[in-house]
Amino acid sequence: MKTKSVVLSLALVGVSAFASSDMQLINKVKKAGVKAIPQSQLEVLKLVDDPNNPITEKKVELGKKLYFEPRLSKSGLISCNTCHNLGMGGADGVAAAVGHKWTPNPAHLNSPTVYNSVLNKVQFWDGRSPHLEDQAQGPIQAGPEMAAPKSLVEARVTSMPAYVEEFKEAYGDDVKIDFKLIADTIAVFERTLVTPSRFDEFMHGDLDALTPAEKEGLNLFVDKGCVSCHNDIGLGGTMQPFQVAKKYKFASLGGFQGDKNGMVKTPTLRNIEETAPYFHNGAIWSLADAVKEMGSVQLGINISDKESAKITTFLKALTGDKPDISYPQLPVSTSKTPKPDMN
């Protein structure tokens, strides 16, 4: 019995030491500026809601329909979901976004994920939009994307009585359905696309949520300095200087140089394994290679294959739980609905 007691005591010491080490890692990550998505749905709502256009069930449902609505594009073929596919990590899986008349993005820009985009401090690679409501207006009108003038979008939506009725239910009978409100409603839906992961569970104290290998990768992620840009709740989403230590080897592809100060929006690392290819111009398809390139370009260090594999193991733990979204049935066009225009 004494031998069993000694063995049990040693085992408990081992568990205690392991737990202590995990708590040290959690505190280390917090100190580095990384935050977890709140566990409480109320706290998440506070985080993503906009007091100027509060989230409601009616707005979310209408916004979802508009998000999947191809008739918001000039051709009647392209929706928000075309480039930000909710079944593919919120991106499109190609290097450069393709829009109206199969036009590739002129700057060879890659489509960022829409999941957790509400956590970004700014929108677009050059950070020109401060929030999702403003961002949602851009691609609809842009020639290489959906190519639809504001007047066409308004005419398409208001020509369908079912949409008019849904806007009244969401905003009141006196609602004025204009382009801005249509974009704002899409943004309301996008604000709900938050994906908590096992990493968040670990940060909230579930020490078994991550495997030992994932914890090792997380520790290395912090030690190597990745958190200097990939921090806060979104693990990205702020404007940062690019090519700090060395020139990006695919910098010439597309010619994008960031904003006027050469700053580029740091992409979120949440669901990163689902959003290849990587970087603003989608030039790197391997997550492990992207980690090594970031070490060289941003940190001025050599990240070995072994170290990259460990960090990548952690990054895959950032794949989160997606909201359950069913494809909506869209209103029927009427004789007043402007016809598709392929020109």
Side-chain angles (χ1 to χ4, degrees), residues 102-136:
W102 290 99
T103 304
N105 185 277
H108 207 274
L109 291 176
N110 180 254
S111 299
T113 177
V114 70
Y115 282 118
N116 304 296
S117 57
V118 66
L119 304 179
N120 294 339
K121 301 300 182 184
V122 292
Q123 308 296 330
F124 291 113
W125 285 108
D126 61 2
R128 66 183 181 273
S129 281
H131 47 64
L132 288 173
E133 283 75 9
D134 184 70
Q135 186 278 334

PDB file of all heavy atoms in Angstrom, residues 102-136:
ATOM      1  N   TRP A 102     -14.623  37.530 -65.564  1.00  0.00           N
ATOM      2  CA  TRP A 102     -13.446  36.727 -65.229  1.00  0.00           C
ATOM      3  C   TRP A 102     -12.183  37.585 -65.124  1.00  0.00           C
ATOM      4  O   TRP A 102     -11.085  37.164 -65.470  1.00  0.00           O
ATOM      5  CB  TRP A 102     -13.241  35.594 -66.250  1.00  0.00           C
ATOM      6  CG  TRP A 102     -14.278  34.539 -66.151  1.00  0.00           C
ATOM      7  CD1 TRP A 102     -15.374  34.387 -66.924  1.00  0.00           C
ATOM      8  CD2 TRP A 102     -14.334  33.483 -65.181  1.00  0.00           C
ATOM      9  NE1 TRP A 102     -16.128  33.307 -66.506  1.00  0.00           N
ATOM     10  CE2 TRP A 102     -15.493  32.724 -65.451  1.00  0.00           C
ATOM     11  CE3 TRP A 102     -13.508  33.091 -64.121  1.00  0.00           C
ATOM     12  CZ2 TRP A 102     -15.874  31.617 -64.688  1.00  0.00           C
ATOM     13  CZ3 TRP A 102     -13.873  31.980 -63.374  1.00  0.00           C
ATOM     14  CH2 TRP A 102     -15.046  31.250 -63.651  1.00  0.00           C
ATOM     15  N   THR A 103     -12.352  38.784 -64.583  1.00  0.00           N
ATOM     16  CA  THR A 103     -11.224  39.692 -64.430  1.00  0.00           C
ATOM     17  C   THR A 103     -10.472  39.405 -63.133  1.00  0.00           C
ATOM     18  O   THR A 103     -11.050  39.482 -62.052  1.00  0.00           O
ATOM     19  CB  THR A 103     -11.713  41.154 -64.403  1.00  0.00           C
ATOM     20  OG1 THR A 103     -12.466  41.427 -65.576  1.00  0.00           O
ATOM     21  CG2 THR A 103     -10.541  42.113 -64.286  1.00  0.00           C
ATOM     22  N   PRO A 104      -9.181  39.074 -63.207  1.00  0.00           N
ATOM     23  CA  PRO A 104      -8.406  38.889 -61.980  1.00  0.00           C
ATOM     24  C   PRO A 104      -8.118  40.237 -61.336  1.00  0.00           C
ATOM     25  O   PRO A 104      -8.045  41.265 -62.028  1.00  0.00           O
ATOM     26  CB  PRO A 104      -7.117  38.216 -62.464  1.00  0.00           C
ATOM     27  CG  PRO A 104      -6.986  38.644 -63.881  1.00  0.00           C
ATOM     28  CD  PRO A 104      -8.385  38.805 -64.417  1.00  0.00           C
ATOM     29  N   ASN A 105      -7.967  40.259 -60.049  1.00  0.00           N
ATOM     30  CA  ASN A 105      -7.673  41.513 -59.361  1.00  0.00           C
ATOM     31  C   ASN A 105      -6.442  42.170 -59.978  1.00  0.00           C
ATOM     32  O   ASN A 105      -5.408  41.520 -60.149  1.00  0.00           O
ATOM     33  CB  ASN A 105      -7.422  41.235 -57.877  1.00  0.00           C
ATOM     34  CG  ASN A 105      -7.223  42.506 -57.095  1.00  0.00           C
ATOM     35  OD1 ASN A 105      -6.130  43.052 -57.067  1.00  0.00           O
ATOM     36  ND2 ASN A 105      -8.268  42.979 -56.445  1.00  0.00           N
ATOM     37  N   PRO A 106      -6.537  43.449 -60.349  1.00  0.00           N
ATOM     38  CA  PRO A 106      -5.440  44.136 -61.045  1.00  0.00           C
ATOM     39  C   PRO A 106      -4.124  44.121 -60.277  1.00  0.00           C
ATOM     40  O   PRO A 106      -3.047  44.120 -60.882  1.00  0.00           O
ATOM     41  CB  PRO A 106      -5.964  45.564 -61.207  1.00  0.00           C
ATOM     42  CG  PRO A 106      -7.449  45.436 -61.153  1.00  0.00           C
ATOM     43  CD  PRO A 106      -7.716  44.316 -60.201  1.00  0.00           C
ATOM     44  N   ALA A 107      -4.194  44.121 -58.941  1.00  0.00           N
ATOM     45  CA  ALA A 107      -2.982  44.088 -58.121  1.00  0.00           C
ATOM     46  C   ALA A 107      -2.682  42.679 -57.620  1.00  0.00           C
ATOM     47  O   ALA A 107      -1.857  42.496 -56.730  1.00  0.00           O
ATOM     48  CB  ALA A 107      -3.119  45.054 -56.945  1.00  0.00           C
ATOM     49  N   HIS A 108      -3.363  41.701 -58.213  1.00  0.00           N
ATOM     50  CA  HIS A 108      -3.175  40.291 -57.841  1.00  0.00           C
ATOM     51  C   HIS A 108      -3.395  40.091 -56.334  1.00  0.00           C
ATOM     52  O   HIS A 108      -2.674  39.336 -55.671  1.00  0.00           O
ATOM     53  CB  HIS A 108      -1.781  39.791 -58.228  1.00  0.00           C
ATOM     54  CG  HIS A 108      -1.733  38.304 -58.471  1.00  0.00           C
ATOM     55  ND1 HIS A 108      -1.543  37.390 -57.456  1.00  0.00           N
ATOM     56  CD2 HIS A 108      -1.858  37.585 -59.607  1.00  0.00           C
ATOM     57  CE1 HIS A 108      -1.541  36.158 -57.961  1.00  0.00           C
ATOM     58  NE2 HIS A 108      -1.739  36.251 -59.269  1.00  0.00           N
ATOM     59  N   LEU A 109      -4.421  40.764 -55.801  1.00  0.00           N
ATOM     60  CA  LEU A 109      -4.694  40.673 -54.368  1.00  0.00           C
ATOM     61  C   LEU A 109      -5.531  39.446 -54.047  1.00  0.00           C
ATOM     62  O   LEU A 109      -6.486  39.124 -54.738  1.00  0.00           O
ATOM     63  CB  LEU A 109      -5.401  41.932 -53.872  1.00  0.00           C
ATOM     64  CG  LEU A 109      -4.540  43.199 -53.866  1.00  0.00           C
ATOM     65  CD1 LEU A 109      -5.362  44.403 -53.447  1.00  0.00           C
ATOM     66  CD2 LEU A 109      -3.338  43.037 -52.949  1.00  0.00           C
ATOM     67  N   ASN A 110      -5.164  38.789 -52.979  1.00  0.00           N
ATOM     68  CA  ASN A 110      -5.829  37.587 -52.491  1.00  0.00           C
ATOM     69  C   ASN A 110      -7.043  37.974 -51.646  1.00  0.00           C
ATOM     70  O   ASN A 110      -7.025  38.988 -50.951  1.00  0.00           O
ATOM     71  CB  ASN A 110      -4.825  36.787 -51.657  1.00  0.00           C
ATOM     72  CG  ASN A 110      -5.405  35.503 -51.103  1.00  0.00           C
ATOM     73  OD1 ASN A 110      -5.689  35.393 -49.920  1.00  0.00           O
ATOM     74  ND2 ASN A 110      -5.570  34.521 -51.968  1.00  0.00           N
ATOM     75  N   SER A 111      -8.098  37.184 -51.708  1.00  0.00           N
ATOM     76  CA  SER A 111      -9.308  37.466 -50.929  1.00  0.00           C
ATOM     77  C   SER A 111      -9.095  37.080 -49.464  1.00  0.00           C
ATOM     78  O   SER A 111      -8.893  35.900 -49.165  1.00  0.00           O
ATOM     79  CB  SER A 111     -10.500  36.676 -51.478  1.00  0.00           C
ATOM     80  OG  SER A 111     -10.775  37.035 -52.804  1.00  0.00           O
ATOM     81  N   PRO A 112      -9.154  38.032 -48.538  1.00  0.00           N
ATOM     82  CA  PRO A 112      -9.034  37.689 -47.120  1.00  0.00           C
ATOM     83  C   PRO A 112     -10.282  36.961 -46.637  1.00  0.00           C
ATOM     84  O   PRO A 112     -11.359  37.106 -47.216  1.00  0.00           O
ATOM     85  CB  PRO A 112      -8.904  39.047 -46.423  1.00  0.00           C
ATOM     86  CG  PRO A 112      -8.709  40.047 -47.513  1.00  0.00           C
ATOM     87  CD  PRO A 112      -9.316  39.465 -48.739  1.00  0.00           C
ATOM     88  N   THR A 113     -10.152  36.196 -45.592  1.00  0.00           N
ATOM     89  CA  THR A 113     -11.309  35.510 -45.039  1.00  0.00           C
ATOM     90  C   THR A 113     -12.289  36.496 -44.409  1.00  0.00           C
ATOM     91  O   THR A 113     -11.886  37.501 -43.818  1.00  0.00           O
ATOM     92  CB  THR A 113     -10.898  34.468 -43.989  1.00  0.00           C
ATOM     93  OG1 THR A 113     -12.086  33.870 -43.434  1.00  0.00           O
ATOM     94  CG2 THR A 113     -10.096  35.088 -42.851  1.00  0.00           C
ATOM     95  N   VAL A 114     -13.569  36.191 -44.544  1.00  0.00           N
ATOM     96  CA  VAL A 114     -14.592  37.014 -43.897  1.00  0.00           C
ATOM     97  C   VAL A 114     -14.834  36.564 -42.465  1.00  0.00           C
ATOM     98  O   VAL A 114     -15.331  37.333 -41.644  1.00  0.00           O
ATOM     99  CB  VAL A 114     -15.909  36.975 -44.713  1.00  0.00           C
ATOM    100  CG1 VAL A 114     -16.571  35.606 -44.606  1.00  0.00           C
ATOM    101  CG2 VAL A 114     -16.870  38.067 -44.289  1.00  0.00           C
ATOM    102  N   TYR A 115     -14.465  35.305 -42.141  1.00  0.00           N
ATOM    103  CA  TYR A 115     -14.617  34.840 -40.764  1.00  0.00           C
ATOM    104  C   TYR A 115     -13.726  35.676 -39.835  1.00  0.00           C
ATOM    105  O   TYR A 115     -12.548  35.910 -40.121  1.00  0.00           O
ATOM    106  CB  TYR A 115     -14.238  33.367 -40.634  1.00  0.00           C
ATOM    107  CG  TYR A 115     -15.291  32.408 -41.129  1.00  0.00           C
ATOM    108  CD1 TYR A 115     -15.032  31.554 -42.198  1.00  0.00           C
ATOM    109  CD2 TYR A 115     -16.550  32.348 -40.529  1.00  0.00           C
ATOM    110  CE1 TYR A 115     -15.994  30.657 -42.651  1.00  0.00           C
ATOM    111  CE2 TYR A 115     -17.524  31.465 -40.991  1.00  0.00           C
ATOM    112  CZ  TYR A 115     -17.238  30.623 -42.042  1.00  0.00           C
ATOM    113  OH  TYR A 115     -18.198  29.751 -42.498  1.00  0.00           O
ATOM    114  N   ASN A 116     -14.310  36.135 -38.751  1.00  0.00           N
ATOM    115  CA  ASN A 116     -13.610  36.936 -37.733  1.00  0.00           C
ATOM    116  C   ASN A 116     -13.136  38.289 -38.254  1.00  0.00           C
ATOM    117  O   ASN A 116     -12.361  38.967 -37.578  1.00  0.00           O
ATOM    118  CB  ASN A 116     -12.417  36.160 -37.149  1.00  0.00           C
ATOM    119  CG  ASN A 116     -12.824  34.825 -36.579  1.00  0.00           C
ATOM    120  OD1 ASN A 116     -13.575  34.749 -35.619  1.00  0.00           O
ATOM    121  ND2 ASN A 116     -12.348  33.744 -37.195  1.00  0.00           N
ATOM    122  N   SER A 117     -13.597  38.698 -39.446  1.00  0.00           N
ATOM    123  CA  SER A 117     -13.168  39.985 -39.980  1.00  0.00           C
ATOM    124  C   SER A 117     -13.651  41.146 -39.111  1.00  0.00           C
ATOM    125  O   SER A 117     -13.057  42.230 -39.127  1.00  0.00           O
ATOM    126  CB  SER A 117     -13.663  40.162 -41.414  1.00  0.00           C
ATOM    127  OG  SER A 117     -15.072  40.043 -41.491  1.00  0.00           O
ATOM    128  N   VAL A 118     -14.689  40.921 -38.337  1.00  0.00           N
ATOM    129  CA  VAL A 118     -15.177  41.948 -37.422  1.00  0.00           C
ATOM    130  C   VAL A 118     -14.137  42.269 -36.357  1.00  0.00           C
ATOM    131  O   VAL A 118     -14.146  43.352 -35.762  1.00  0.00           O
ATOM    132  CB  VAL A 118     -16.510  41.513 -36.771  1.00  0.00           C
ATOM    133  CG1 VAL A 118     -16.303  40.305 -35.852  1.00  0.00           C
ATOM    134  CG2 VAL A 118     -17.140  42.663 -35.991  1.00  0.00           C
ATOM    135  N   LEU A 119     -13.206  41.349 -36.120  1.00  0.00           N
ATOM    136  CA  LEU A 119     -12.167  41.563 -35.118  1.00  0.00           C
ATOM    137  C   LEU A 119     -11.014  42.407 -35.651  1.00  0.00           C
ATOM    138  O   LEU A 119     -10.149  42.831 -34.882  1.00  0.00           O
ATOM    139  CB  LEU A 119     -11.636  40.216 -34.614  1.00  0.00           C
ATOM    140  CG  LEU A 119     -12.688  39.251 -34.042  1.00  0.00           C
ATOM    141  CD1 LEU A 119     -12.035  37.944 -33.613  1.00  0.00           C
ATOM    142  CD2 LEU A 119     -13.424  39.884 -32.871  1.00  0.00           C
ATOM    143  N   ASN A 120     -10.986  42.623 -36.978  1.00  0.00           N
ATOM    144  CA  ASN A 120      -9.932  43.460 -37.560  1.00  0.00           C
ATOM    145  C   ASN A 120     -10.121  44.912 -37.149  1.00  0.00           C
ATOM    146  O   ASN A 120     -11.250  45.396 -37.030  1.00  0.00           O
ATOM    147  CB  ASN A 120      -9.974  43.389 -39.096  1.00  0.00           C
ATOM    148  CG  ASN A 120      -9.640  42.018 -39.638  1.00  0.00           C
ATOM    149  OD1 ASN A 120      -9.009  41.210 -38.972  1.00  0.00           O
ATOM    150  ND2 ASN A 120     -10.063  41.756 -40.869  1.00  0.00           N
ATOM    151  N   LYS A 121      -9.029  45.609 -36.978  1.00  0.00           N
ATOM    152  CA  LYS A 121      -9.101  47.044 -36.688  1.00  0.00           C
ATOM    153  C   LYS A 121      -9.427  47.836 -37.940  1.00  0.00           C
ATOM    154  O   LYS A 121     -10.000  48.927 -37.875  1.00  0.00           O
ATOM    155  CB  LYS A 121      -7.781  47.535 -36.102  1.00  0.00           C
ATOM    156  CG  LYS A 121      -7.376  46.841 -34.810  1.00  0.00           C
ATOM    157  CD  LYS A 121      -8.398  47.028 -33.715  1.00  0.00           C
ATOM    158  CE  LYS A 121      -7.933  46.371 -32.417  1.00  0.00           C
ATOM    159  NZ  LYS A 121      -8.956  46.443 -31.349  1.00  0.00           N
ATOM    160  N   VAL A 122      -9.029  47.293 -39.104  1.00  0.00           N
ATOM    161  CA  VAL A 122      -9.307  47.917 -40.401  1.00  0.00           C
ATOM    162  C   VAL A 122      -9.638  46.826 -41.408  1.00  0.00           C
ATOM    163  O   VAL A 122      -9.393  45.644 -41.157  1.00  0.00           O
ATOM    164  CB  VAL A 122      -8.102  48.742 -40.915  1.00  0.00           C
ATOM    165  CG1 VAL A 122      -7.867  49.960 -40.042  1.00  0.00           C
ATOM    166  CG2 VAL A 122      -6.843  47.872 -40.982  1.00  0.00           C
ATOM    167  N   GLN A 123     -10.175  47.234 -42.571  1.00  0.00           N
ATOM    168  CA  GLN A 123     -10.531  46.289 -43.622  1.00  0.00           C
ATOM    169  C   GLN A 123      -9.768  46.619 -44.904  1.00  0.00           C
ATOM    170  O   GLN A 123      -9.329  47.756 -45.102  1.00  0.00           O
ATOM    171  CB  GLN A 123     -12.037  46.323 -43.877  1.00  0.00           C
ATOM    172  CG  GLN A 123     -12.901  46.145 -42.630  1.00  0.00           C
ATOM    173  CD  GLN A 123     -12.736  44.777 -41.963  1.00  0.00           C
ATOM    174  OE1 GLN A 123     -12.454  43.775 -42.628  1.00  0.00           O
ATOM    175  NE2 GLN A 123     -12.907  44.727 -40.644  1.00  0.00           N
ATOM    176  N   PHE A 124      -9.618  45.643 -45.775  1.00  0.00           N
ATOM    177  CA  PHE A 124      -8.826  45.698 -46.998  1.00  0.00           C
ATOM    178  C   PHE A 124      -7.338  45.616 -46.659  1.00  0.00           C
ATOM    179  O   PHE A 124      -6.912  45.988 -45.569  1.00  0.00           O
ATOM    180  CB  PHE A 124      -9.110  46.961 -47.833  1.00  0.00           C
ATOM    181  CG  PHE A 124     -10.471  47.012 -48.456  1.00  0.00           C
ATOM    182  CD1 PHE A 124     -11.398  47.953 -48.041  1.00  0.00           C
ATOM    183  CD2 PHE A 124     -10.833  46.136 -49.469  1.00  0.00           C
ATOM    184  CE1 PHE A 124     -12.660  48.012 -48.614  1.00  0.00           C
ATOM    185  CE2 PHE A 124     -12.092  46.194 -50.055  1.00  0.00           C
ATOM    186  CZ  PHE A 124     -13.012  47.126 -49.624  1.00  0.00           C
ATOM    187  N   TRP A 125      -6.555  45.144 -47.618  1.00  0.00           N
ATOM    188  CA  TRP A 125      -5.118  44.974 -47.406  1.00  0.00           C
ATOM    189  C   TRP A 125      -4.424  46.305 -47.122  1.00  0.00           C
ATOM    190  O   TRP A 125      -3.422  46.350 -46.405  1.00  0.00           O
ATOM    191  CB  TRP A 125      -4.483  44.316 -48.633  1.00  0.00           C
ATOM    192  CG  TRP A 125      -4.766  42.844 -48.743  1.00  0.00           C
ATOM    193  CD1 TRP A 125      -5.594  42.221 -49.637  1.00  0.00           C
ATOM    194  CD2 TRP A 125      -4.215  41.797 -47.935  1.00  0.00           C
ATOM    195  NE1 TRP A 125      -5.602  40.862 -49.435  1.00  0.00           N
ATOM    196  CE2 TRP A 125      -4.757  40.567 -48.395  1.00  0.00           C
ATOM    197  CE3 TRP A 125      -3.309  41.776 -46.868  1.00  0.00           C
ATOM    198  CZ2 TRP A 125      -4.423  39.335 -47.834  1.00  0.00           C
ATOM    199  CZ3 TRP A 125      -2.977  40.551 -46.296  1.00  0.00           C
ATOM    200  CH2 TRP A 125      -3.533  39.349 -46.784  1.00  0.00           C
ATOM    201  N   ASP A 126      -4.954  47.400 -47.675  1.00  0.00           N
ATOM    202  CA  ASP A 126      -4.333  48.706 -47.419  1.00  0.00           C
ATOM    203  C   ASP A 126      -5.026  49.459 -46.293  1.00  0.00           C
ATOM    204  O   ASP A 126      -4.715  50.626 -46.035  1.00  0.00           O
ATOM    205  CB  ASP A 126      -4.303  49.557 -48.693  1.00  0.00           C
ATOM    206  CG  ASP A 126      -5.692  49.862 -49.247  1.00  0.00           C
ATOM    207  OD1 ASP A 126      -6.702  49.451 -48.620  1.00  0.00           O
ATOM    208  OD2 ASP A 126      -5.784  50.504 -50.309  1.00  0.00           O
ATOM    209  N   GLY A 127      -5.963  48.799 -45.618  1.00  0.00           N
ATOM    210  CA  GLY A 127      -6.601  49.379 -44.442  1.00  0.00           C
ATOM    211  C   GLY A 127      -7.479  50.579 -44.701  1.00  0.00           C
ATOM    212  O   GLY A 127      -7.781  51.359 -43.794  1.00  0.00           O
ATOM    213  N   ARG A 128      -7.959  50.740 -45.941  1.00  0.00           N
ATOM    214  CA  ARG A 128      -8.679  51.969 -46.279  1.00  0.00           C
ATOM    215  C   ARG A 128     -10.084  52.053 -45.706  1.00  0.00           C
ATOM    216  O   ARG A 128     -10.674  53.139 -45.683  1.00  0.00           O
ATOM    217  CB  ARG A 128      -8.726  52.160 -47.791  1.00  0.00           C
ATOM    218  CG  ARG A 128      -9.534  51.133 -48.568  1.00  0.00           C
ATOM    219  CD  ARG A 128      -9.423  51.401 -50.068  1.00  0.00           C
ATOM    220  NE  ARG A 128     -10.196  50.471 -50.872  1.00  0.00           N
ATOM    221  CZ  ARG A 128      -9.746  49.289 -51.296  1.00  0.00           C
ATOM    222  NH1 ARG A 128      -8.526  48.909 -50.941  1.00  0.00           N
ATOM    223  NH2 ARG A 128     -10.499  48.517 -52.050  1.00  0.00           N
ATOM    224  N   SER A 129     -10.639  50.937 -45.259  1.00  0.00           N
ATOM    225  CA  SER A 129     -11.971  50.974 -44.639  1.00  0.00           C
ATOM    226  C   SER A 129     -11.853  50.726 -43.146  1.00  0.00           C
ATOM    227  O   SER A 129     -11.180  49.785 -42.722  1.00  0.00           O
ATOM    228  CB  SER A 129     -12.894  49.916 -45.250  1.00  0.00           C
ATOM    229  OG  SER A 129     -13.404  50.352 -46.492  1.00  0.00           O
ATOM    230  N   PRO A 130     -12.534  51.539 -42.344  1.00  0.00           N
ATOM    231  CA  PRO A 130     -12.419  51.395 -40.894  1.00  0.00           C
ATOM    232  C   PRO A 130     -13.279  50.288 -40.300  1.00  0.00           C
ATOM    233  O   PRO A 130     -13.033  49.834 -39.189  1.00  0.00           O
ATOM    234  CB  PRO A 130     -12.876  52.765 -40.378  1.00  0.00           C
ATOM    235  CG  PRO A 130     -13.849  53.243 -41.434  1.00  0.00           C
ATOM    236  CD  PRO A 130     -13.316  52.728 -42.735  1.00  0.00           C
ATOM    237  N   HIS A 131     -14.300  49.844 -41.039  1.00  0.00           N
ATOM    238  CA  HIS A 131     -15.202  48.830 -40.490  1.00  0.00           C
ATOM    239  C   HIS A 131     -15.919  48.090 -41.624  1.00  0.00           C
ATOM    240  O   HIS A 131     -15.814  48.467 -42.796  1.00  0.00           O
ATOM    241  CB  HIS A 131     -16.215  49.457 -39.525  1.00  0.00           C
ATOM    242  CG  HIS A 131     -16.868  50.704 -40.046  1.00  0.00           C
ATOM    243  ND1 HIS A 131     -17.676  50.715 -41.161  1.00  0.00           N
ATOM    244  CD2 HIS A 131     -16.814  51.996 -39.609  1.00  0.00           C
ATOM    245  CE1 HIS A 131     -18.101  51.952 -41.385  1.00  0.00           C
ATOM    246  NE2 HIS A 131     -17.593  52.743 -40.467  1.00  0.00           N
ATOM    247  N   LEU A 132     -16.654  47.048 -41.250  1.00  0.00           N
ATOM    248  CA  LEU A 132     -17.293  46.180 -42.243  1.00  0.00           C
ATOM    249  C   LEU A 132     -18.363  46.897 -43.055  1.00  0.00           C
ATOM    250  O   LEU A 132     -18.546  46.601 -44.241  1.00  0.00           O
ATOM    251  CB  LEU A 132     -17.902  44.962 -41.547  1.00  0.00           C
ATOM    252  CG  LEU A 132     -16.910  43.930 -41.018  1.00  0.00           C
ATOM    253  CD1 LEU A 132     -17.635  42.863 -40.198  1.00  0.00           C
ATOM    254  CD2 LEU A 132     -16.139  43.288 -42.164  1.00  0.00           C
ATOM    255  N   GLU A 133     -19.088  47.824 -42.443  1.00  0.00           N
ATOM    256  CA  GLU A 133     -20.147  48.533 -43.170  1.00  0.00           C
ATOM    257  C   GLU A 133     -19.558  49.282 -44.363  1.00  0.00           C
ATOM    258  O   GLU A 133     -20.131  49.280 -45.468  1.00  0.00           O
ATOM    259  CB  GLU A 133     -20.872  49.505 -42.232  1.00  0.00           C
ATOM    260  CG  GLU A 133     -21.862  48.847 -41.285  1.00  0.00           C
ATOM    261  CD  GLU A 133     -21.194  48.114 -40.124  1.00  0.00           C
ATOM    262  OE1 GLU A 133     -19.962  48.253 -39.939  1.00  0.00           O
ATOM    263  OE2 GLU A 133     -21.902  47.400 -39.391  1.00  0.00           O
ATOM    264  N   ASP A 134     -18.437  49.940 -44.146  1.00  0.00           N
ATOM    265  CA  ASP A 134     -17.795  50.678 -45.228  1.00  0.00           C
ATOM    266  C   ASP A 134     -17.183  49.713 -46.238  1.00  0.00           C
ATOM    267  O   ASP A 134     -17.293  49.913 -47.454  1.00  0.00           O
ATOM    268  CB  ASP A 134     -16.715  51.593 -44.656  1.00  0.00           C
ATOM    269  CG  ASP A 134     -16.076  52.470 -45.716  1.00  0.00           C
ATOM    270  OD1 ASP A 134     -16.760  53.378 -46.210  1.00  0.00           O
ATOM    271  OD2 ASP A 134     -14.896  52.239 -46.058  1.00  0.00           O
ATOM    272  N   GLN A 135     -16.573  48.651 -45.750  1.00  0.00           N
ATOM    273  CA  GLN A 135     -15.935  47.672 -46.627  1.00  0.00           C
ATOM    274  C   GLN A 135     -16.926  47.024 -47.577  1.00  0.00           C
ATOM    275  O   GLN A 135     -16.616  46.789 -48.754  1.00  0.00           O
ATOM    276  CB  GLN A 135     -15.222  46.599 -45.791  1.00  0.00           C
ATOM    277  CG  GLN A 135     -14.403  45.600 -46.595  1.00  0.00           C
ATOM    278  CD  GLN A 135     -15.239  44.470 -47.187  1.00  0.00           C
ATOM    279  OE1 GLN A 135     -16.292  44.121 -46.657  1.00  0.00           O
ATOM    280  NE2 GLN A 135     -14.771  43.898 -48.291  1.00  0.00           N
ATOM    281  N   ALA A 136     -18.116  46.721 -47.079  1.00  0.00           N
ATOM    282  CA  ALA A 136     -19.104  45.999 -47.882  1.00  0.00           C
ATOM    283  C   ALA A 136     -19.514  46.771 -49.135  1.00  0.00           C
ATOM    284  O   ALA A 136     -19.946  46.175 -50.126  1.00  0.00           O
ATOM    285  CB  ALA A 136     -20.333  45.688 -47.034  1.00  0.00           C
TER     286      ALA A 136
END
